[in-house]
Amino acid sequence: MTDAPPILIVEDEPKIAALLRDYLVAAGYRVETLGNGALAVDWIRRHAPAAILLDVMLPGEDGLGICRRVRAFSQVPVLLVTARVEEIDRLLGLELGADDYICKPFSPREVVARVKAVLRRTAAGATPAADPVSLDAERFDARVRGRPLTLTPVEFRLLHKLAGQPGRVFSRSQLIDALYLDNRVVSDRTVDSHVKNLRRKLAEAGVDPVSSVYGVGYRYEVPEPDVPG
Ligand code: CA
């Protein structure tokens, strides 16, 4: 057995906790579960888990309070689990410092993939990979591996906002604030269409750092180094 720090599941529905535990254990992780929020912050302080799957609605103390208090002393990856997809936008607006958001009902396979991704990102954060995308906001100059990328001002601002905090998920409404300086009313679909154009231009330049986070918004990740062949 391994001494690696465990993944902590804070979930008051025993069936969901057991399901997540089974899948994470099958994926090779050590797992601890708590069914009450009141014990969570103290537990996290004492055990320093590798990542936390944190339900929002909990007895004792809710996931939002736990996330806030944990962020005061730890950068441990937190995946907030909510029962309402409409709530995610509000959660993002609260700037809780969560690393990802998962909506019930979820596929356990998907949750395992998201846990792996968040662990990979935070490990990558310790030794940042070189980003082939470089931005000069004063000159509105975007480059991929030194070669200029022609973007509209809106696309540039979008890329600048996303790339400014790699790994962070931005909701569409947060991106709208970055895109337009004149407070105009813009639909989510307009954001999607700018993101689509931006991603096409990046793909033509050989990178794909912007990904869509289902039901939530978008995130930028420093691309993996090229694999030869
Ligand atoms: Ca719950």
Side-chain angles (χ1 to χ4, degrees):
M1 288 307 290
T2 167
D3 292 315
I7 310 271
L8 174 64
I9 299 168
V10 192
E11 170 62 69
D12 59 316
E13 293 172 62
K15 278 186 185 165
I16 294 181
L19 184 67
L20 286 173
R21 172 203 282 270
D22 289 349
Y23 271 81
L24 286 165
V25 167
Y29 295 107
R30 205 154 71 76
V31 177
E32 299 285 345
T33 58
L34 292 175
N36 190 304
L39 312 167
V41 174
D42 193 46
W43 194 98
I44 292 160
R45 203 190 294 274
R46 282 187 289 121
H47 295 87
I52 306 169
L53 276 166
L54 180 58
D55 190 26
V56 169
M57 294 288 282
L58 290 166
E61 178 174 8
D62 73 15
L64 310 186
I66 293 169
C67 191
R68 275 209 184 89
R69 294 211 289 138
V70 165
R71 276 292 169 266
F73 63 88
S74 168
Q75 286 306 308
V76 57
V78 175
L79 296 93
L80 268 184
V81 181
T82 171
R84 298 189 3 246
V85 72
E86 321 83 72
E87 193 180 39
I88 292 180
D89 212 52
R90 186 178 76 85
L91 296 177
L92 283 165
L94 294 175
E95 313 255 343
L96 297 161
D99 296 88
D100 207 347
Y101 300 82
I102 291 164
C103 191
K104 294 178 187 173
F106 47 71
S107 118
R109 237 177 266 276
E110 167 73 9
V111 173
V112 171
R114 305 270 284 268
V115 167
K116 281 186 183 163
V118 90
L119 290 171
R120 200 172 52 231
R121 276 202 299 280
T122 47
T127 44
D131 191 343
V133 179
S134 58
L135 299 173
D136 180 339
E138 277 176 30
R139 297 192 177 86
F140 264 64
D141 183 49
R143 286 167 187 268
V144 175
R145 298 191 185 91
R147 302 180 66 166
L149 189 65
T150 307
L151 300 177
T152 65
V154 167
E155 288 160 3
F156 184 91
R157 282 199 286 272
L158 182 59
L159 181 58
H160 189 255
K161 179 78 177 179
L162 289 163
Q165 287 176 273
R168 173 173 168 184
V169 184
F170 289 93
S171 69
R172 289 175 176 78
S173 54
Q174 287 173 322
L175 292 172
I176 286 170
D177 292 343
L179 297 195
Y180 298 99
L181 311 173
D182 54 1
N183 292 323
R184 81 176 83 169
V185 178
V186 180
S187 75
D188 286 359
R189 210 179 295 180
T190 306
V191 176
D192 291 341
S193 110
H194 287 302
V195 170
K196 194 174 158 201
N197 291 334
L198 172 63
R199 289 184 71 180
R200 179 177 45 76
K201 290 179 180 179
L202 288 164
E204 283 165 6
V207 290
D208 184 21
V210 177
S211 56
S212 128
V213 183
Y214 181 72
V216 185
Y218 294 98
R219 113 164 94 219
Y220 181 96
E221 289 176 85
V222 176
E224 301 279 328
D226 287 337
V227 179

